[in-house]
């Protein structure tokens, strides 16, 4: 047990084992630790409190089987305005596709640390393929109990050549199978803003870049002391999230204080509004703070698809939204600058969106 003692007490050894060697929190969890390493102990104000959970509250669950029904469209827009989140059922993404990408996620994280580490920041064949742990190990005062693989889509050829063989086919299939759902959601949401007709330029702005993450949250020795993912909102236009059956995703309630659990529903996809769409809608659609708790008894996975503007795009309120005389809340910002601002710091709730706010607010 001596190496374990050194690992937990010496910061350089800890960093080497978790980050540099690619063991991540999965490696720590599999050591059978009885206590959480101090590097993961969150300050009191960032720990998840069960006292703040609203037990009988739920984000909307929307049946997407009748896509052309005006009531379905109204439900989607209402959810985007009031909740920022909803669960989609009967969404037409084949259930076997969802099962395959979940199996592929377990397969990738079941690889040896040395194999996964081939995709780390220092060793990856591409900046578009990144295996890592926590969120930003350089900026965080306390680390998050999560490992991830991030896959930024450029082309089928690049994905085939550079994405990990353990999961590339399944992730591509999942991403492409979700396109029809994503386009339908954006069509409905744009109509709700009176932005008529999604031409190629508008479509590129809304969904010009796509990133899929495979997230792994291993069993944690003291889940009450840490977080799987800290409080944040996504920088995307939309996020499409596949959960497994473990649970652990919580969404901020409308009072700004409480938390609402998003229970796993077999075959469903969780949809949430990202900061980019909040900015483009001038705040009509809400990107909402959410977090993931750590689990003391089960390993959990999730697979989000982040639908984003392209890095070189400028985002700001749509002219159609301001046409009635509504005052802009947000300025025009270069999307890559917004994203850089998000990734250079630790998770901090909804503070990122302030980067795009006009100074009068």
């Amino acid at each position: 047990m001596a190496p374990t003692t050194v690992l937990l007490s010496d910061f350089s050894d800890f960093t080497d084992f978790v980050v540099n060697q690619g063991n991540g929190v999965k490696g720590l969890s599999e050591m059978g630790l009885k206590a959480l390493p101090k590097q993961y102990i969150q300050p009191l104000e960032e720990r998840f409190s069960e006292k703040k959970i609203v037990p009988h509250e739920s984000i909307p669950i929307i049946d997407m089987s009748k896509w052309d029904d005006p009531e379905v469209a109204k439900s989607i827009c209402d959810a985007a305005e009031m909740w920022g989140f909803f669960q989609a059922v009967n969404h037409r993404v084949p259930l076997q596709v969802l099962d395959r990408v979940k199996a592929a996620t377990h397969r990738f994280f079941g690889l040896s640390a040395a194999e996964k580490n081939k995709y780390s920041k220092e060793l990856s064949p591409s900046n578009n393929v990144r295996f890592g742990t926590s969120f930003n190990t350089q900026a965080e005062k306390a680390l998050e109990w999560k490992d991830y693989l991030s896959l930024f889509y450029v082309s089928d050829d690049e994905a085939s050549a550079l994405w990990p063989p353990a999961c590339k086919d399944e992730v591509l299939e999942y991403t492409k199978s979700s396109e029809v759902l994503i386009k339908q959601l954006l069509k409905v949401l744009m109509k709700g803003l009176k932005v008529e007709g999604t031409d190629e330029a508008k479509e590129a702005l809304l969904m010009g870049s796509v990133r899929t993450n495979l997230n792994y949250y291993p069993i944690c020795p003291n889940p009450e002391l840490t977080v799987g993912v800290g409080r944040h909102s996504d920088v995307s236009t939309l996020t499409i999230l596949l959960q497994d059956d473990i649970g652990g995703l919580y969404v901020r309630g409308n009072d700004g204080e409480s938390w609402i659990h998003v229970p796993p529903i077999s075959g469903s996809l969780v949809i949430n509004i990202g900061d980019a769409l909040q900015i483009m809608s001038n705040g009509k659609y809400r990107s909402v703070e959410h977090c993931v708790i750590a689990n003391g008894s089960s390993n959990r996975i999730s697979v989000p698809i982040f639908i984003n503007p392209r890095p070189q795009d400028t985002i700001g309120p749509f002219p159609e939204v301001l046409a009635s005389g509504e005052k802009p809340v947000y300025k025009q910002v270069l999307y890559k600058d917004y994203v850089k601002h998000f990734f250079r710091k630790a998770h901090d709730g909804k503070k990122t969106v302030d980067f795009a706010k006009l100074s009068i607010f």
Side-chain angles (χ1 to χ4, degrees):
M1 292 299 288
T4 306
T5 307
V6 173
L7 170 67
L8 301 186
S9 61
D10 186 293
F11 184 78
S12 61
D13 282 355
F14 170 87
T15 303
D16 187 57
F17 178 82
V18 174
V19 180
N20 300 339
Q21 294 179 33
N23 288 287
V25 286
K26 184 172 186 284
L28 289 177
S29 178
E30 289 174 348
M31 294 172 75
L33 301 177
K34 301 300 181 190
L36 187 73
K38 64 181 183 294
Q39 290 88 347
Y40 292 90
I41 297 176
Q42 296 287 329
L44 276 170
E45 64 272 16
E46 294 300 333
R47 295 180 200 170
F48 190 83
S49 171
E50 292 195 358
K51 294 176 183 175
K52 292 190 175 182
I53 299 172
V54 183
H56 303 298
E57 194 70 271
S58 172
I59 64 170
I61 299 165
I62 300 177
D63 186 339
M64 300 284 290
S65 57
K66 295 179 181 176
W67 278 358
D68 297 325
D69 187 333
E71 286 303 310
V72 173
K74 184 178 184 302
S75 297
I76 291 167
C77 293
D78 287 349
E81 288 183 41
M82 292 185 281
W83 295 91
F85 269 81
F86 64 92
Q87 294 214 60
V89 297
N90 298 322
H91 42 65
R92 303 188 194 178
V93 181
L95 299 186
Q96 59 266 37
V97 170
L98 304 184
D99 288 340
R100 281 196 285 267
V101 80
K102 284 190 284 189
T105 301
H106 281 289
R107 190 159 56 245
F108 174 79
F109 286 103
L111 297 173
S112 68
E115 193 64 30
K116 287 181 291 190
N117 207 35
K118 290 178 181 177
Y119 303 97
S120 65
K121 183 178 180 180
E122 289 71 26
L123 300 175
S124 179
S126 167
N127 285 333
N128 298 325
V129 183
R130 182 67 48 81
F131 167 70
T133 190
S134 191
F135 175 67
N136 183 337
T137 55
Q138 274 81 42
E140 291 163 321
K141 292 178 181 175
L143 301 177
E144 299 177 351
W145 193 260
K146 179 191 83 168
D147 298 331
Y148 67 87
L149 175 70
S150 181
L151 301 167
F152 185 88
Y153 178 81
V154 174
S155 68
D156 286 5
D157 287 345
E158 180 178 291
S160 181
L162 300 179
W163 288 11
C167 60
K168 64 182 178 183
D169 292 341
E170 293 80 5
V171 174
L172 265 177
E173 181 184 40
Y174 169 50
T175 304
K176 293 194 167 190
S177 295
S178 301
E179 270 186 21
V180 175
L181 169 64
I182 292 158
K183 288 181 178 179
Q184 180 66 20
L185 289 171
L186 289 173
K187 178 182 173 184
V188 166
L189 290 166
M190 289 304 101
K191 195 170 181 181
L193 296 175
K194 297 184 169 56
V195 178
E196 294 294 341
T198 308
D199 57 19
E200 283 187 23
K202 190 75 58 50
E203 188 172 289
L205 175 65
L206 292 166
M207 54 179 295
S209 69
V210 178
R211 178 166 58 91
T212 305
N213 275 18
L214 310 185
N215 296 327
Y216 189 86
Y217 305 90
I219 294 169
C220 180
N222 299 108
E224 71 285 356
L225 299 180
T226 191
V227 291
V229 179
R231 303 176 299 112
H232 72 288
S233 58
D234 296 342
V235 294
S236 57
T237 302
L238 285 181
T239 302
I240 314 298
L241 175 75
L242 172 62
Q243 297 198 85
D244 64 9
D245 59 357
I246 303 300
L249 171 64
Y250 286 81
V251 173
R252 182 67 85 182
N254 289 328
D255 60 4
E257 294 291 329
S258 62
W259 291 103
I260 298 163
H261 187 225
V262 182
I265 297 173
S266 181
S268 75
L269 290 166
V270 179
I271 314 294
N272 67 276
I273 305 300
D275 290 355
L277 189 50
Q278 175 171 316
I279 292 165
M280 289 187 276
S281 70
N282 204 38
K284 181 175 182 179
Y285 297 148
R286 301 172 56 216
S287 72
V288 172
E289 196 176 36
H290 51 286
C291 68
V292 175
I293 64 168
N295 192 301
S297 57
S298 300
N299 300 318
R300 176 181 183 266
I301 61 160
S302 68
V303 190
I305 304 173
F306 300 100
I307 307 302
N308 314 298
R310 296 166 301 185
Q312 70 271 24
D313 285 327
T314 297
I315 61 170
F318 286 123
E320 294 93 333
V321 176
L322 305 178
S324 62
E326 185 178 319
K327 298 292 185 188
V329 179
Y330 303 102
K331 59 190 175 185
Q332 301 288 322
V333 295
L334 193 62
Y335 186 63
K336 69 179 177 184
D337 290 344
Y338 189 85
V339 172
K340 281 179 185 173
H341 177 66
F342 176 72
F343 280 104
R344 70 165 60 106
K345 57 190 176 60
H347 281 140
D348 55 5
K350 281 282 293 177
K351 289 183 181 176
T352 306
V353 81
D354 292 341
F355 181 80
K357 273 192 175 171
L358 285 165
S359 56
I360 57 171
F361 288 91

